[in-house]
Amino acid sequence: SRTWQLASSAGRVANPSSRKDQDNHYLWRMNVRRLDAEIIRDNVLAVSGQLDKTLGGADIDYRQGETTRRRSLYLRHAYEKQMTMLVLFDAASPNDCYRRSESIIPQQALALTNSSLALSNSRLLAKQLWQEAATDKRPQPRFVRSAFLQILSRPPAAAELAVCQQFLKTQAATFSDTSKLTTFIGGAAPKVKPSADPQHRARENLIQVLMNHNDFVTVR
């Protein structure tokens, strides 16, 4: 969203060249580019410590893409055998000599929001980070900072930290009132179930939000 983009920009050190050439016409820096589809999927597993880095072996059925911990490189990829998440993020096209294109479509955000792979790993990471932060005198801010460092490889700006803490407060209050919650089922059920604790479920949601952050799927 626009809020996250502004906050993200605020968190970076200002460069004098950005005032002279904001659109990078003179190439004073590398242009921002989206990560390849396979790397995005691997990153979802890597940030939670679940990526299986085993080398070699037989190819893996593409239908296991949401559950296997193996790198995306080993998923079967042919015309009629393609994992949906990889297709949405513009994996190499078997119909066009495996050429890669780049698109921006709403389904990409939905893939990182609703896929069982992203949901399971966001919940695992939330648990790991909270176990480390819980002993701190100010556990909530530490949790947010740890989440940014682990997922986006940078600390949050002051504005981002404030927004995230408010998000955690609002989400926890929402989950506390079960009468206002609506149960819905769509797609494969994640391996890891959501926490029954409203406070921790809010933290799981924040991790999920950061996995949908522009900085998570781009390289600068």
Side-chain angles (χ1 to χ4, degrees):
S1 69
R2 181 61 177 167
T3 302
W4 284 105
Q5 291 172 7
L6 289 171
S8 177
S9 299
R12 298 194 182 91
V13 178
N15 189 308
S17 298
S18 65
R19 293 191 291 271
K20 299 178 181 179
D21 182 21
Q22 186 175 5
D23 294 325
N24 198 35
H25 292 303
Y26 295 100
L27 303 178
W28 59 272
R29 58 168 170 78
M30 186 183 80
N31 282 319
V32 177
R33 63 184 178 84
R34 233 254 323 282
L35 295 172
D36 288 341
E38 295 83 355
I39 299 175
I40 292 173
R41 179 188 171 276
D42 289 0
N43 276 353
V44 171
L45 290 160
V47 294
S48 64
Q50 299 299 304
L51 182 64
D52 182 350
K53 299 179 183 179
T54 303
L55 297 178
D59 60 349
I60 302 168
D61 193 312
Y62 72 100
R63 287 168 292 193
Q64 296 181 35
E66 292 284 344
T67 55
T68 182
R69 296 169 52 226
R70 295 294 305 277
R71 293 169 58 200
S72 304
L73 172 69
Y74 297 105
L75 292 177
R76 198 167 298 142
H77 190 70
Y79 173 71
E80 73 287 2
K81 301 171 183 177
Q82 301 181 65
M83 181 191 176
T84 301
M85 175 185 282
L86 299 185
V87 173
L88 291 175
F89 281 103
D90 309 309
S93 172
N95 296 338
D96 195 13
C97 297
Y98 290 93
R99 180 179 180 180
R100 290 181 185 270
S101 59
E102 189 171 310
S103 64
I104 300 176
I105 56 176
Q107 289 88 337
Q108 291 165 353
L110 292 173
L112 286 175
T113 300
N114 299 320
S115 85
S116 58
L117 183 77
L119 286 168
S120 290
N121 284 276
S122 62
R123 291 163 184 170
L124 289 172
L125 180 56
K127 182 178 180 180
Q128 296 167 19
L129 296 180
W130 183 247
Q131 287 175 342
E132 299 170 1
T135 57
D136 198 276
K137 292 182 179 179
R138 301 184 63 207
Q140 211 77 297
R142 177 175 171 178
F143 175 82
V144 175
R145 291 190 184 96
S146 297
F148 267 74
L149 288 171
Q150 184 72 6
I151 300 171
L152 306 182
S153 300
R154 64 173 178 82
E160 289 174 317
L161 182 60
V163 169
C164 288
Q165 290 189 90
Q166 182 58 48
F167 174 85
L168 291 172
K169 181 179 179 180
T170 303
Q171 286 294 93
T174 300
F175 289 129
S176 295
D177 188 356
T178 56
S179 65
K180 295 182 179 180
L181 299 180
T182 301
T183 301
F184 66 92
I185 300 174
K191 283 186 175 181
V192 181
K193 294 182 179 180
S195 174
D197 175 20
Q199 298 285 341
H200 190 66
R201 191 168 181 185
R203 290 187 282 270
E204 293 175 345
N205 281 186
L206 178 61
I207 296 297
Q208 193 179 356
V209 167
L210 293 180
M211 283 186 178
N212 228 314
H213 196 294
N214 185 55
D215 288 358
F216 183 67
V217 297
T218 56
V219 60
R220 299 175 184 276

